[in-house]
Amino acid sequence: MLIRFADKEEKMNEKEILKYSEEYAKKQGFKLNKDKKQLDYVIKGLKKNEDKYGERYCPCRVITGNFEEDRIIVCPCIYHKQEIKDQGHCLCRLFFSKQVKQGKTKNPKEFCAPESKKQIPSWVNQKLLDKSRKDNASFVIDRYQDQQPQCNFGLSGVCCKNCNMGPCRMTPKAGKGVCGADANVIASRNLLRTISAGACCHVEHARENALLLWKVGTGKTKAYSIKDKAKLQAFAKKLGKKNAKDVALEAFEDFRRQHGVFHKSEGLYLNWLRINAPKYLQEEWKKLDILPENADIETTRAQHATTMGNDADPNSLLLQCLKLGLVDGYAGLMMATDIQDILFGTPKLIKAEANLGTIKPDYINLSVHGHIPLLAEKVLEWSKKLEPEAKKAGAKGINLVGVCCQANEMVQRHGIAMAAHTMQSELALVTGAMEAMVVDAQCIYPSLASVASCYHTKLITTMVARMPGALHIPFKIEDADETAKKIVRVAIDNFKNRNKAKVYIPNEKMSLYSGFSVEQIVDALKKVNPKDPLKPLIDNIKSGNIKGVVAVIGCRNPKLRGQKFSETLIKKLLKENILVITTGCISHASAQEGLMKPEAVKYCGDKLKAVLIAIGKANKIGVLPPVLHMGSCVDNSRIIRLVSEISNYTKIPISKLPIAASAPELVTEKAVAIGTNALVHGITVHVNPPLWTSGAKLVEKQLGNLPTGGKMFYESDVDEAAKKIINIINEKRKALKLK
Ligand code: BF8
């Protein structure tokens, strides 16, 4: 029997609701939220729901309109006691545990379902947002608001539609799905599917690169060449091969090895893992039986295992998650990065600019958005070659800019401006000054075609991306030059259609340094110690001048709304003398905040500041930026390579090093796969907003203490997140007997 907030049928006014809440809290040994603003927000929400639905439904949860389904969320809802036990307060923050010290005041709309479209992230230019609404251009923040409140079963990970007896969702009344799967089975199956989907994106990316390397190596294309011959030779040596073609064939081996049928004598698992991962970890993974046979077979097995009636053991499913983390890390991320470096050059220190202000009023603006740089590299080449045509069309030239991870790829090798992260991709079109946007794969909002139609912009899809209303130009390696030329000409021809009255480019841009590949970091350290470059880094970590290293990576998430969560977290870490490395959309966020330029040293503690000045001086750039840009999301492999090198050098396992990772605004399945890759290496990973596991306690517990030493934790309060990460670093230092 549910406890009803009020046993009487008559309606209550806000004062009465508050009084009932107080009495209930007292009776249960809870306390009410001491933040009057937050409290008032929830009380008003309860009253509003009572007026609208006849019941005081929890204002932060989804209401279906069917009382039989919704009765569990009549305040105080079925979840509140467990939530208070787990996190010190209920979801709406109406009731708190007496033991919990209430943290810093939050805007109530940060935790409760928002109703207002007025509240926008701090990084959104208000004028541009107003313009998007005036122009009827759809925008991610508005769509997010329209989705509120989001489904609570989905949020807690306890719904399943893997078969047509469902969809099923776990409730106190029905703790098992029709097939008998419980919350832990459902959540771990869902998680494995998520990681597998994310890994597929990176594996496809790596495969495209391997195909290009093979075509270059066999002379099937003249459009591309090998830019980093030394890196190719190094990989050829590691693989016992001599040339690009054979290196590519070894890469392909990682997509088809089948024990007893297709495998070479040198190993039964991924070549890219065998030649790159620390040996002690390969032994540990072997014992856990999670070494992947080949990328395709493991993703197929994950699909198979998670269908109804196969693997129903959460522990077994979580081990498969770790295996898929290895697939993602080696047959995806690392292979993609390595081959890109071989083909397009290994990044070196380079200066550039970020944010929407890099779109230029008098130029033909062309943006490359997506992830796989094969076509973008060619578009860059042709945008330079066709400059005279652009001038003939009346423009000052062609301004090529990058969006999302394609920006990270193009900035680290060529200094191309990072105009927008994924959540700003629509705003780049709302400027009214974008002649064309070419998209290839991943993180491309399906809304872009409709936004482009509000302006003169041509949206061009290639590779896997497709959208009704977009111009689709297929990409083939053999036709890369023709395709790129065609795309640049679409942009040039479209310049005449720009409506000047519809142009608004925000005056927001920031300088940054990029290009911190592991090779560049080692080169910079060589200026300090030419014979033993890693030594100065290790010595500074040992002495505490650098207290630790934290990778702050991943996406921008509309759930974070008004907060500058990532930027604040980074500043808090820098203050504690923790060096920050970054990739993905958080690189855009860091750059826009000015954290990837030398002046950001002002946010650092004195010890870290001194190290950055010393390395900067030795490299003649004054001061090294405190947030090192290591590239796109596939370049998270550079982070793994860096920590592996530190581990090999110090002979300390990665799980014991004073390092951590944070995905403070995680969005995509890819990001979950990347996080799993960090976990399988023994790294502690902070995730926010929480993934869909809160309804599956066993899964959450296991993720917090994995057999690889990796630990995942959620924290949505930025002060607490910083505190917890700093504690992790301090504990690891203590265990190593470092000051
Ligand atoms: O792959 S950080 S929103 S762009 S998934 Fe996507 Fe997330 Fe951005 Fe790069 Ni990574």
Side-chain angles (χ1 to χ4, degrees):
M1 177 72 184
L2 280 172
I3 314 156
R4 293 291 300 274
F5 196 6
D7 294 327
K8 45 184 185 172
E9 289 303 309
E10 70 267 24
K11 286 189 171 188
M12 289 194 274
N13 61 32
E14 286 175 23
K15 256 192 186 160
E16 287 170 323
I17 295 176
L18 180 63
K19 194 167 165 253
Y20 269 103
S21 317
E22 277 164 353
E23 280 169 8
Y24 179 78
K26 207 170 155 199
K27 217 157 89 194
Q28 297 294 325
F30 302 146
K31 60 183 178 185
L32 284 193
N33 194 331
K34 68 171 190 204
D35 183 321
K36 293 287 165 245
K37 202 169 150 199
Q38 287 185 356
L39 185 62
D40 188 49
Y41 185 82
V42 180
I43 298 293
K44 280 199 161 66
L46 288 167
K47 176 68 190 146
K48 207 165 151 195
N49 282 343
E50 185 180 62
D51 291 346
K52 194 166 168 191
Y53 302 102
E55 295 290 340
R56 283 178 291 280
Y57 291 129
C58 182
C60 303
R61 300 182 203 263
V62 70
I63 299 160
T64 67
N66 174 352
F67 178 69
E68 276 316 303
E69 282 191 47
D70 294 337
R71 64 206 301 267
I72 56 171
I73 57 165
V74 174
C75 186
C77 71
I78 200 79
Y79 306 104
H80 74 291
K81 285 189 182 164
Q82 190 63 41
E83 285 168 348
I84 294 167
K85 204 164 142 206
D86 292 346
Q87 61 197 31
H89 56 78
C90 67
L91 179 70
C92 293
R93 292 175 175 244
L94 176 59
F95 302 116
F96 275 73
S97 147
K98 272 191 176 158
Q99 284 74 41
V100 85
K101 227 180 114 199
Q102 221 174 300
K104 243 180 144 187
T105 300
K106 275 190 174 192
N107 183 332
K109 287 175 193 168
E110 295 298 335
F111 61 85
C112 222
E115 286 155 351
S116 159
K117 289 190 177 181
K118 277 182 200 141
Q119 195 197 11
I120 58 159
S122 47
W123 48 264
V124 174
N125 179 284
Q126 183 66 55
K127 255 175 110 176
L128 206 53
L129 180 64
D130 293 344
K131 181 174 186 299
S132 90
R133 288 170 182 164
K134 192 172 129 241
D135 296 346
N136 279 326
S138 173
F139 183 47
V140 57
I141 297 290
D142 291 343
R143 294 191 301 272
Y144 173 74
Q145 309 285 34
D146 292 342
Q147 281 297 324
Q148 299 311 309
Q150 287 173 313
C151 170
N152 200 46
F153 293 107
L155 283 172
S156 54
V158 292
C159 56
C160 175
K161 56 174 183 58
N162 291 11
C163 85
N164 204 18
M165 292 192 288
C168 299
R169 69 262 189 283
M170 301 302 101
T171 63
K173 188 183 106 205
K176 286 193 172 154
V178 180
C179 74
D182 66 13
N184 289 305
V185 174
I186 289 171
S188 51
R189 277 198 313 217
N190 289 347
L191 188 63
L192 181 53
R193 285 199 167 193
T194 298
I195 297 167
S196 171
C200 283
C201 297
H202 296 135
V203 167
E204 275 297 280
H205 183 154
R207 196 197 318 262
E208 292 279 353
N209 290 358
L211 185 62
L212 175 54
L213 184 66
W214 183 78
K215 290 199 172 174
V216 171
T218 51
K220 292 200 182 327
T221 177
K222 294 276 173 254
Y224 299 87
S225 59
I226 305 291
K227 294 269 166 48
D228 191 338
K229 295 199 171 82
K231 198 160 197 168
L232 171 64
Q233 279 160 11
F235 272 90
K237 198 174 159 201
K238 281 191 199 176
L239 290 160
K241 302 290 162 195
K242 285 206 167 66
N243 54 36
K245 182 192 89 180
D246 289 342
V247 168
L249 287 175
E250 291 302 304
F252 282 128
E253 189 72 13
D254 286 352
F255 309 127
R256 70 156 210 169
R257 183 178 298 99
Q258 174 87 50
H259 290 174
V261 184
F262 304 117
H263 75 268
K264 301 257 179 76
S265 53
E266 59 265 25
L268 295 171
Y269 52 92
L270 303 178
N271 283 332
W272 235 258
L273 186 156
R274 178 176 57 80
I275 63 167
N276 289 303
K279 293 287 171 262
Y280 83 92
L281 274 176
Q282 296 194 30
E283 287 306 314
E284 279 183 18
W285 297 333
K286 197 172 175 183
K287 279 186 210 145
L288 288 170
D289 195 19
I290 57 169
L291 283 166
E293 188 171 341
N294 86 51
D296 289 358
I297 210 167
E298 300 304 354
T299 47
T300 306
R301 282 173 180 158
Q303 282 297 113
H304 184 195
T306 51
T307 49
M308 195 275 281
N310 283 308
D311 196 338
D313 176 353
N315 289 319
S316 158
L317 288 160
L318 287 173
L319 279 176
Q320 303 313 303
C321 289
L322 293 176
K323 191 187 255 193
L324 264 294
L326 288 174
V327 169
D328 187 66
Y330 290 96
L333 311 177
M334 199 164 281
M335 189 190 289
T337 297
D338 292 338
I339 299 180
Q340 276 166 200
D341 283 0
I342 290 170
L343 287 165
F344 309 128
T346 302
K348 290 198 170 64
L349 189 68
I350 195 162
K351 216 176 165 186
E353 286 181 325
N355 216 341
L356 290 163
T358 58
I359 295 168
K360 295 181 181 170
D362 302 327
Y363 285 70
I364 288 163
N365 291 299
L366 170 57
S367 50
V368 280
H369 174 11
H371 285 79
I372 310 173
L374 270 56
L375 179 58
E377 285 278 333
K378 282 281 144 190
V379 169
L380 170 62
E381 196 180 312
W382 280 98
S383 66
K384 286 178 187 163
K385 285 183 184 161
L386 297 180
E387 275 277 325
E389 288 186 24
K391 286 184 179 153
K392 234 166 133 187
K396 282 188 176 163
I398 299 174
N399 181 38
L400 186 75
V401 296
V403 175
C404 92
C405 272
Q406 197 65 270
N408 288 312
E409 295 290 357
M410 299 308 279
V411 70
Q412 65 180 343
R413 295 193 180 87
H414 307 287
I416 296 297
M418 305 168 72
H421 51 69
T422 303
M423 273 179 64
Q424 290 170 314
S425 57
E426 293 156 325
L427 294 179
L429 307 189
V430 175
T431 60
M434 189 62 69
E435 272 57 52
M437 173 180 269
V438 52
V439 299
D440 55 17
Q442 303 162 23
C443 303
I444 293 147
Y445 291 159
S447 61
L448 281 171
S450 82
V451 176
S453 74
C454 300
Y455 307 94
H456 72 303
T457 310
K458 294 274 186 226
L459 183 78
I460 304 164
T461 54
T462 67
M463 292 192 175
V464 69
R466 296 281 195 293
M467 233 175 273
L471 170 64
H472 189 73
I473 303 183
F475 172 75
K476 282 202 202 112
I477 289 169
E478 289 77 2
D479 306 333
D481 280 305
E482 279 313 306
T483 308
K485 209 192 295 181
K486 195 170 166 186
I487 287 169
V488 177
R489 284 201 171 126
V490 167
I492 295 172
D493 290 347
N494 200 22
F495 185 60
K496 59 178 182 299
N497 297 322
R498 188 191 287 185
N499 178 353
K500 282 193 179 156
K502 269 192 138 177
V503 171
Y504 170 69
I505 302 171
N507 183 23
E508 286 168 0
K509 62 179 168 185
M510 189 61 83
S511 67
L512 66 112
Y513 276 103
S514 174
F516 289 96
S517 56
V518 175
E519 292 81 349
Q520 173 60 84
I521 293 172
V522 171
D523 267 4
L525 293 167
K526 266 187 190 158
K527 307 267 165 45
V528 183
N529 185 338
K531 286 204 181 125
D532 194 358
L534 278 185
K535 193 169 182 295
L537 178 65
I538 308 295
D539 285 350
N540 276 305
I541 294 176
K542 273 189 191 163
S543 68
N545 288 340
I546 299 175
K547 195 185 261 183
V549 182
V550 174
V552 186
I553 59 178
C555 329
R556 276 293 215 196
N557 192 323
K559 287 183 178 173
L560 274 289
R561 289 174 286 224
Q563 305 175 57
K564 273 196 173 183
F565 194 102
S566 305
E567 299 87 329
T568 311
L569 176 68
I570 291 173
K571 287 179 192 168
K572 285 177 184 287
L573 298 176
L574 295 177
K575 199 169 166 220
E576 287 295 314
N577 297 304
I578 291 170
L579 184 68
V580 173
I581 48 188
T582 184
T583 55
C585 285
I586 297 300
S587 303
H588 286 266
S590 307
Q592 292 177 11
E593 189 72 3
L595 297 170
M596 294 192 330
K597 58 181 194 172
E599 292 82 347
V601 79
K602 68 179 179 213
Y603 298 112
C604 300
D606 288 343
K607 291 177 177 178
L608 178 61
K609 198 184 281 179
V611 177
L612 296 170
I613 291 172
I615 301 174
K617 265 191 187 158
N619 282 275
K620 301 193 171 60
I621 59 161
V623 185
L624 200 68
V627 177
L628 303 183
H629 181 225
M630 295 194 86
S632 66
C633 281
V634 295
D635 294 328
N636 282 305
S637 65
R638 298 190 198 281
I639 297 173
I640 294 296
R641 194 177 287 287
L642 180 68
V643 297
S644 299
E645 293 207 4
I646 296 175
S647 168
N648 289 340
Y649 184 98
T650 56
K651 309 266 184 297
I652 298 170
I654 292 174
S655 62
K656 294 198 161 66
L657 291 171
I659 59 171
S662 168
E665 303 191 36
L666 184 143
V667 170
T668 66
E669 292 162 314
K670 292 184 295 166
V672 182
I674 291 168
T676 313
N677 180 44
L679 290 170
V680 77
H681 284 83
I683 298 171
T684 301
V685 183
H686 160 240
V687 171
N688 184 49
L691 288 175
W692 331 276
T693 55
S694 65
K697 291 299 159 203
L698 176 72
V699 174
E700 275 206 343
K701 196 173 152 219
Q702 304 292 56
L703 287 170
N705 198 7
L706 290 160
T708 55
K711 298 177 199 307
M712 187 177 89
F713 72 96
Y714 303 133
E715 182 50 69
S716 299
D717 181 295
V718 70
D719 296 323
E720 285 301 310
K723 238 190 253 168
K724 286 181 182 169
I725 294 172
I726 294 162
N727 275 347
I728 288 157
I729 301 278
N730 285 337
E731 275 167 26
K732 300 217 171 193
R733 292 188 68 85
K734 210 165 133 199
L736 290 169
K737 300 200 172 22
L738 299 174
K739 277 184 284 166

Short mmCIF file of all heavy atoms in Angstrom, two decimals, residues 392-426:
data_model
loop_
_atom_site.label_atom_id
_atom_site.label_comp_id
_atom_site.label_asym_id
_atom_site.label_seq_id
_atom_site.Cartn_x
_atom_site.Cartn_y
_atom_site.Cartn_z
N LYS A 392 36.62 35.53 -57.26
CA LYS A 392 35.83 35.89 -58.44
C LYS A 392 34.35 35.99 -58.09
O LYS A 392 33.61 36.78 -58.66
CB LYS A 392 36.02 34.83 -59.51
CG LYS A 392 36.46 35.41 -60.84
CD LYS A 392 36.94 34.32 -61.72
CE LYS A 392 36.35 34.43 -63.10
NZ LYS A 392 36.70 33.24 -63.87
N ALA A 393 33.94 35.20 -57.12
CA ALA A 393 32.53 35.21 -56.70
C ALA A 393 32.23 36.39 -55.77
O ALA A 393 31.11 36.54 -55.28
CB ALA A 393 32.20 33.90 -56.02
N GLY A 394 33.24 37.22 -55.49
CA GLY A 394 33.01 38.42 -54.68
C GLY A 394 33.40 38.29 -53.22
O GLY A 394 33.19 39.21 -52.43
N ALA A 395 33.95 37.13 -52.83
CA ALA A 395 34.32 36.95 -51.42
C ALA A 395 35.81 37.27 -51.23
O ALA A 395 36.56 37.32 -52.21
CB ALA A 395 34.05 35.51 -51.00
N LYS A 396 36.21 37.47 -50.01
CA LYS A 396 37.63 37.72 -49.73
C LYS A 396 38.44 36.42 -49.80
O LYS A 396 39.66 36.45 -49.83
CB LYS A 396 37.79 38.35 -48.35
CG LYS A 396 37.46 39.82 -48.34
CD LYS A 396 37.83 40.42 -46.99
CE LYS A 396 37.59 41.91 -46.99
NZ LYS A 396 37.56 42.44 -45.63
N GLY A 397 37.77 35.31 -49.74
CA GLY A 397 38.45 34.01 -49.78
C GLY A 397 37.54 32.95 -49.21
O GLY A 397 36.34 33.18 -49.02
N ILE A 398 38.12 31.79 -48.92
CA ILE A 398 37.33 30.70 -48.33
C ILE A 398 37.77 30.51 -46.88
O ILE A 398 38.96 30.39 -46.61
CB ILE A 398 37.50 29.38 -49.11
CG1 ILE A 398 37.03 29.56 -50.56
CG2 ILE A 398 36.75 28.24 -48.43
CD1 ILE A 398 37.30 28.38 -51.46
N ASN A 399 36.81 30.52 -45.99
CA ASN A 399 37.11 30.32 -44.57
C ASN A 399 36.61 28.93 -44.17
O ASN A 399 35.41 28.72 -44.00
CB ASN A 399 36.41 31.41 -43.74
CG ASN A 399 36.70 31.27 -42.26
OD1 ASN A 399 37.81 30.92 -41.86
ND2 ASN A 399 35.70 31.54 -41.43
N LEU A 400 37.55 27.99 -44.07
CA LEU A 400 37.17 26.64 -43.65
C LEU A 400 37.22 26.56 -42.13
O LEU A 400 38.23 26.93 -41.52
CB LEU A 400 38.12 25.61 -44.26
CG LEU A 400 37.72 24.16 -44.00
CD1 LEU A 400 36.53 23.75 -44.87
CD2 LEU A 400 38.88 23.20 -44.25
N VAL A 401 36.13 26.11 -41.53
CA VAL A 401 36.11 25.96 -40.07
C VAL A 401 35.65 24.55 -39.72
O VAL A 401 35.03 23.88 -40.53
CB VAL A 401 35.19 27.01 -39.39
CG1 VAL A 401 35.69 28.42 -39.61
CG2 VAL A 401 33.74 26.86 -39.86
N GLY A 402 35.93 24.14 -38.48
CA GLY A 402 35.56 22.80 -38.04
C GLY A 402 34.47 22.83 -37.00
O GLY A 402 34.35 23.78 -36.22
N VAL A 403 33.67 21.76 -37.00
CA VAL A 403 32.61 21.58 -36.00
C VAL A 403 32.82 20.22 -35.35
O VAL A 403 33.17 19.25 -36.02
CB VAL A 403 31.21 21.67 -36.65
CG1 VAL A 403 30.11 21.38 -35.65
CG2 VAL A 403 31.00 23.05 -37.28
N CYS A 404 32.57 20.12 -34.09
CA CYS A 404 32.72 18.92 -33.24
C CYS A 404 34.09 18.29 -33.42
O CYS A 404 35.10 18.97 -33.45
CB CYS A 404 31.52 17.99 -33.37
SG CYS A 404 31.58 16.70 -34.59
N CYS A 405 34.16 16.95 -33.52
CA CYS A 405 35.49 16.33 -33.55
C CYS A 405 36.23 16.55 -34.86
O CYS A 405 37.45 16.46 -34.90
CB CYS A 405 35.39 14.85 -33.23
SG CYS A 405 35.49 14.56 -31.46
N GLN A 406 35.51 16.82 -35.93
CA GLN A 406 36.23 17.14 -37.16
C GLN A 406 37.06 18.40 -36.94
O GLN A 406 38.16 18.56 -37.49
CB GLN A 406 35.21 17.36 -38.30
CG GLN A 406 35.80 17.31 -39.68
CD GLN A 406 36.34 15.92 -40.04
OE1 GLN A 406 37.51 15.65 -39.78
NE2 GLN A 406 35.52 15.07 -40.63
N ALA A 407 36.55 19.30 -36.11
CA ALA A 407 37.32 20.50 -35.76
C ALA A 407 38.60 20.11 -35.01
O ALA A 407 39.68 20.65 -35.26
CB ALA A 407 36.48 21.43 -34.89
N ASN A 408 38.45 19.14 -34.08
CA ASN A 408 39.63 18.71 -33.32
C ASN A 408 40.69 18.10 -34.25
O ASN A 408 41.88 18.31 -34.07
CB ASN A 408 39.22 17.67 -32.27
CG ASN A 408 38.45 18.29 -31.12
OD1 ASN A 408 38.87 19.30 -30.58
ND2 ASN A 408 37.32 17.72 -30.78
N GLU A 409 40.21 17.34 -35.25
CA GLU A 409 41.16 16.75 -36.21
C GLU A 409 41.86 17.85 -37.01
O GLU A 409 43.08 17.81 -37.21
CB GLU A 409 40.43 15.81 -37.18
CG GLU A 409 39.81 14.57 -36.54
CD GLU A 409 40.86 13.56 -36.07
OE1 GLU A 409 42.06 13.78 -36.27
OE2 GLU A 409 40.46 12.55 -35.45
N MET A 410 41.07 18.81 -37.47
CA MET A 410 41.63 19.82 -38.38
C MET A 410 42.46 20.87 -37.65
O MET A 410 43.38 21.44 -38.22
CB MET A 410 40.50 20.51 -39.17
CG MET A 410 39.68 19.56 -40.03
SD MET A 410 40.68 18.54 -41.14
CE MET A 410 40.99 19.67 -42.47
N VAL A 411 42.14 21.11 -36.40
CA VAL A 411 42.94 22.12 -35.67
C VAL A 411 44.30 21.54 -35.30
O VAL A 411 45.32 22.22 -35.40
CB VAL A 411 42.19 22.67 -34.43
CG1 VAL A 411 42.06 21.65 -33.32
CG2 VAL A 411 42.89 23.91 -33.87
N GLN A 412 44.34 20.28 -34.90
CA GLN A 412 45.61 19.76 -34.38
C GLN A 412 46.66 19.55 -35.48
O GLN A 412 47.85 19.50 -35.21
CB GLN A 412 45.40 18.48 -33.59
CG GLN A 412 44.89 17.31 -34.41
CD GLN A 412 44.68 16.05 -33.59
OE1 GLN A 412 45.18 15.93 -32.48
NE2 GLN A 412 43.94 15.09 -34.13
N ARG A 413 46.20 19.43 -36.71
CA ARG A 413 47.18 19.25 -37.80
C ARG A 413 47.35 20.48 -38.65
O ARG A 413 48.38 20.66 -39.30
CB ARG A 413 46.77 18.07 -38.69
CG ARG A 413 46.81 16.74 -37.98
CD ARG A 413 46.72 15.56 -38.92
NE ARG A 413 46.77 14.32 -38.15
CZ ARG A 413 45.69 13.74 -37.62
NH1 ARG A 413 44.50 14.25 -37.81
NH2 ARG A 413 45.82 12.64 -36.89
N HIS A 414 46.32 21.34 -38.71
CA HIS A 414 46.39 22.46 -39.65
C HIS A 414 46.06 23.81 -39.02
O HIS A 414 46.11 24.83 -39.72
CB HIS A 414 45.42 22.22 -40.81
CG HIS A 414 45.61 20.89 -41.47
ND1 HIS A 414 46.69 20.62 -42.28
CD2 HIS A 414 44.87 19.76 -41.42
CE1 HIS A 414 46.60 19.36 -42.72
NE2 HIS A 414 45.51 18.82 -42.21
N GLY A 415 45.67 23.84 -37.77
CA GLY A 415 45.33 25.13 -37.15
C GLY A 415 44.01 25.71 -37.64
O GLY A 415 43.74 26.90 -37.47
N ILE A 416 43.16 24.85 -38.25
CA ILE A 416 41.83 25.32 -38.70
C ILE A 416 40.98 25.67 -37.47
O ILE A 416 41.02 24.97 -36.46
CB ILE A 416 41.14 24.18 -39.53
CG1 ILE A 416 41.93 23.89 -40.80
CG2 ILE A 416 39.68 24.48 -39.83
CD1 ILE A 416 42.02 25.02 -41.78
N ALA A 417 40.20 26.74 -37.60
CA ALA A 417 39.43 27.22 -36.43
C ALA A 417 38.41 26.18 -35.96
O ALA A 417 37.75 25.52 -36.77
CB ALA A 417 38.71 28.51 -36.80
N MET A 418 38.29 26.07 -34.62
CA MET A 418 37.28 25.20 -34.01
C MET A 418 36.03 26.05 -33.78
O MET A 418 35.87 26.64 -32.73
CB MET A 418 37.76 24.72 -32.63
CG MET A 418 39.11 24.02 -32.64
SD MET A 418 39.75 23.82 -30.94
CE MET A 418 38.68 22.54 -30.30
N ALA A 419 35.15 26.10 -34.80
CA ALA A 419 34.04 27.05 -34.71
C ALA A 419 32.98 26.65 -33.69
O ALA A 419 32.40 27.52 -33.03
CB ALA A 419 33.40 27.21 -36.08
N ALA A 420 32.71 25.36 -33.58
CA ALA A 420 31.56 24.98 -32.74
C ALA A 420 31.67 23.55 -32.25
O ALA A 420 32.13 22.68 -32.98
CB ALA A 420 30.27 25.10 -33.57
N HIS A 421 31.25 23.33 -31.00
CA HIS A 421 31.11 21.94 -30.56
C HIS A 421 29.75 21.43 -31.04
O HIS A 421 28.95 22.20 -31.62
CB HIS A 421 31.30 21.79 -29.05
CG HIS A 421 30.48 22.71 -28.20
ND1 HIS A 421 29.12 22.62 -28.11
CD2 HIS A 421 30.85 23.76 -27.42
CE1 HIS A 421 28.68 23.55 -27.27
NE2 HIS A 421 29.70 24.26 -26.85
N THR A 422 29.47 20.16 -30.78
CA THR A 422 28.26 19.56 -31.36
C THR A 422 27.00 20.36 -31.01
O THR A 422 26.16 20.60 -31.87
CB THR A 422 28.12 18.10 -30.89
OG1 THR A 422 29.32 17.43 -31.25
CG2 THR A 422 26.96 17.41 -31.54
N MET A 423 26.90 20.80 -29.75
CA MET A 423 25.68 21.50 -29.36
C MET A 423 25.56 22.89 -30.00
O MET A 423 24.50 23.51 -29.94
CB MET A 423 25.59 21.60 -27.84
CG MET A 423 24.91 20.38 -27.25
SD MET A 423 24.82 20.45 -25.47
CE MET A 423 23.79 21.86 -25.22
N GLN A 424 26.67 23.35 -30.60
CA GLN A 424 26.60 24.65 -31.29
C GLN A 424 26.46 24.47 -32.80
O GLN A 424 26.47 25.45 -33.54
CB GLN A 424 27.88 25.45 -31.04
CG GLN A 424 28.05 25.97 -29.62
CD GLN A 424 29.45 26.54 -29.42
OE1 GLN A 424 30.44 25.93 -29.79
NE2 GLN A 424 29.53 27.72 -28.81
N SER A 425 26.37 23.20 -33.26
CA SER A 425 26.40 22.98 -34.71
C SER A 425 25.24 23.70 -35.41
O SER A 425 25.41 24.24 -36.51
CB SER A 425 26.38 21.48 -35.03
OG SER A 425 25.24 20.87 -34.45
N GLU A 426 24.08 23.73 -34.75
CA GLU A 426 22.94 24.42 -35.38
C GLU A 426 23.17 25.93 -35.38
O GLU A 426 22.83 26.63 -36.34
CB GLU A 426 21.66 24.09 -34.61
CG GLU A 426 21.27 22.63 -34.74
CD GLU A 426 20.41 22.14 -33.61
OE1 GLU A 426 20.62 22.58 -32.45
OE2 GLU A 426 19.54 21.29 -33.85
#
